[in-house]
């Protein structure tokens, strides 16, 4: 059985990048091909490699580090909510800037001996009983288990000027930004059927909501609800988003008119950041909002040894839910390793 205690790998490749946290002492990434001690997992093999150090990945890593697991987090450093000033609707931490929240999360993981490295993973694949993870800078590491938490990419509607306000006055989520845009004139871009729901959600926060139907055909029931709630229906084709002195002015329509707005809401199409995981053969799950990796309630996938958490597995998870999913997956991975270690000990005792 493995020696209890936070056994740390001892060798470092020359490509080892600087640690992301100035407060934590540097801990080296293990050399990829150190020999494994007989009958035991190699010191060069991490118990768990976590790909993605957002709320989900770091919460999983925290559970694992506190369970004295050798855990390495590889993180590309561009979380989904980076364009926003603050994380909202997160209990006790509401208003924290997104990157500050993650810096605090990394410090938590590092305090218990977990290692967090800036790196963009380009491939993860099975390697015998282990997994082999390759980063774009050439670092290769191996792990007994994987926790994948790379999140998703929001595909915005094609409209000139839209992207400039993304995360400030161009928003998608009433819980993340609704309070901040309350009482403004809010224009909802109708690009998917979710626009009706979005218009009604933002109507809870402002009595000046307009739905620009654009590509949307409204059914009778939807129309009745919108009209009854005082949502103005604006037909026509938007051609651009206009600003003055940095502030949103509104949406220019094809007929030349301007629909004035102090906030614009969009429905993004959500794509999992799953390209590096193709060789693992994971399954996809599709719903009305986007695509995610399929997993059970604890984040376990159909591939033994691979867990997923956060937006990679659940497009609707906000920061709190993503962290909860990561923590749950981290706990289950530790439980799985506990049983594997017990089996190794039984085999060693019988030998
Ligand atoms: C504009 C905006 C504002 C938001 N505001 C809020 C809010 O106020 N409150 C709230 O609760 N939610 C908010 N959200 C939702 C929030 O962003 C998600 O809930 C949260 O980011 C999900 O966490 P995650 O860990 O799953 O993914 P992420 O936070 O996206 O983290 C994934 C991490 O994986 C890394 N990564 C990706 N690919 C790789 C790779 N190949 N190799 C290594 N690392 C990789 C990324 O760099 C990133 O650091 C907002 C979303 C948006 C778009």
């Amino acid at each position: 059985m493995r020696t209890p205690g936070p056994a740390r790998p001892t060798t470092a490749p020359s490509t080892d990048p600087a640690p992301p946290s100035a407060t934590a002492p540097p801990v080296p990434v293990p050399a990829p091909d150190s020999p494994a001690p007989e009958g035991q997992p190699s010191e060069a093999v991490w118990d768990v490699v976590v790909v993605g150090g957002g709320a989900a990945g770091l919460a999983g890593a925290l559970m694992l580090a506190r369970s004295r697991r050798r855990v390495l987090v590889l993180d590309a450093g561009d979380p989904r909510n980076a364009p926003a000033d603050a994380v909202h609707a997160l209990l006790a931490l509401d208003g924290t800037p997104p990157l500050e929240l993650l810096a605090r999360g990394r410090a938590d993981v590092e305090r218990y001996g977990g290692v967090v490295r800036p790196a963009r993973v380009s491939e993860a694949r099975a390697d015998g009983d282990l997994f082999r993870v390759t980063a774009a800078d050439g670092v290769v590491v191996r792990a007994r288990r994987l926790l994948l938490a790379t999140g998703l990419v929001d595909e915005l509607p094609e409209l000139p000027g839209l992207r400039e306000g993304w995360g400030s006055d161009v928003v998608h989520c009433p819980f993340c930004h609704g309070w901040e845009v309350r009482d403004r004139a809010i224009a909802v871009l109708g690009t998917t059927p979710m626009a009706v729901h979005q218009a009604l959600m933002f109507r809870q926060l402002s009595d000046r909501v307009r739905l620009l139907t654009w590509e949307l055909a409204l059914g009778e029931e939807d129309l009745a609800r919108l009209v009854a709630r005082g949502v103005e229906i604006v037909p026509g084709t938007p051609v651009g988003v206009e600003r003055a002195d940095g502030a949103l002015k509104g949406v220019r329509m094809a007929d030349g008119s301007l629909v004035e707005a102090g906030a614009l809401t969009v429905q993004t199409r959500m794509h999992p950041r799953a390209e590096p995981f193709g060789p693992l053969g994971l399954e996809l799950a599709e719903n009305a909002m986007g695509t995610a990796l399929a997993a059970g309630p604890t984040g376990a996938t159909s591939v033994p040894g691979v867990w997923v958490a956060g937006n990679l597995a659940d497009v609707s998870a906000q920061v709190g839910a993503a962290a909860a999913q990561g923590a749950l997956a981290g706990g289950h991975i530790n439980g799985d390793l506990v049983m594997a270690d017990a089996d190794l000990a039984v085999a060693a005792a019988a030998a």
Side-chain angles (χ1 to χ4, degrees):
M1 198 172 8
R2 255 175 17 89
T3 315
R8 295 291 129 219
T10 51
T11 50
S14 56
T15 47
D16 186 15
S21 163
T23 56
V27 183
V29 174
D33 294 319
S34 305
E38 210 171 322
Q40 292 187 19
S42 164
E43 285 300 296
V45 174
W46 297 86
D47 285 328
V48 185
V49 167
V50 178
V51 186
L58 290 172
L62 181 59
M63 291 290 274
L64 289 157
R66 283 179 49 79
S67 303
R68 309 183 103 175
R69 291 294 173 193
R70 292 171 300 175
V71 57
L72 170 67
V73 181
L74 297 173
D75 180 46
D78 55 350
R80 180 183 174 208
N81 55 351
D85 287 344
V87 179
H88 289 293
L90 183 61
L91 190 65
L93 292 167
D94 184 273
T96 310
L99 297 185
E100 182 186 322
L101 185 81
L102 297 186
R104 290 168 69 173
R106 287 194 294 270
D108 283 348
V109 171
E110 288 166 342
R111 194 164 37 250
Y112 295 101
V115 180
V116 186
R117 284 285 177 272
R120 185 170 292 280
V121 166
S122 53
E123 187 189 82
R125 60 169 59 246
D127 182 10
D129 288 345
L130 301 172
F131 297 98
R132 183 180 165 89
V133 178
T134 306
D137 62 5
V139 167
V140 179
V141 292
R142 288 180 297 156
R144 300 169 69 196
R145 302 290 183 271
L146 291 181
L147 174 55
L148 309 179
T150 46
L152 61 78
V153 172
D154 289 284
E155 182 188 331
L156 296 175
E158 289 288 334
L159 195 60
L162 185 85
R163 186 167 291 277
E164 282 86 321
W166 176 233
S168 58
D169 50 24
V170 176
V171 302
H172 71 303
C173 161
F175 303 110
C176 310
H177 319 273
W179 178 264
E180 284 63 42
V181 302
R182 69 193 183 283
D183 293 332
R184 292 190 200 173
I186 298 175
V188 177
L189 277 188
T191 51
T192 77
M194 289 299 290
V196 173
H197 181 65
Q198 197 174 57
L200 291 169
M201 293 291 275
F202 277 90
R203 175 64 185 84
Q204 173 67 16
L205 297 148
S206 171
D207 58 9
R208 293 186 292 152
V209 177
R210 289 171 166 153
L211 173 56
L212 281 55
T213 51
W214 197 2
E215 298 167 348
L216 203 60
L218 292 174
E220 260 177 48
E221 199 180 10
D222 287 338
L223 195 58
R225 283 183 172 140
L226 292 163
V227 170
R229 286 293 284 139
V231 174
E232 189 183 334
I233 311 295
V234 181
T237 305
V239 291
V241 174
E242 297 196 1
R243 308 186 152 270
D245 300 325
L248 184 66
K249 265 175 65 185
V251 180
R252 183 67 61 187
M253 305 298 283
D255 66 3
S257 63
L258 182 76
V259 178
E260 288 182 15
L264 187 55
T265 81
V266 296
Q267 310 91 56
T268 67
R269 185 77 199 157
M270 302 181 213
H271 304 283
R273 293 168 116 181
E275 294 80 5
F277 313 131
L280 291 169
L282 299 167
E283 289 167 22
L284 294 174
E286 189 104 23
N287 70 23
M289 294 163 75
T291 309
L293 292 187
T298 67
T301 68
S302 57
V303 177
V306 181
W307 274 255
V308 293
N311 279 165
L312 185 65
D314 175 1
V315 296
S316 67
Q318 289 187 253
V319 171
Q325 292 170 4
L328 187 65
H332 279 262
I333 293 171
N334 181 54
D336 189 50
L337 286 170
V338 162
M339 298 312 289
D341 288 344
D343 289 345
L344 273 178
V346 169

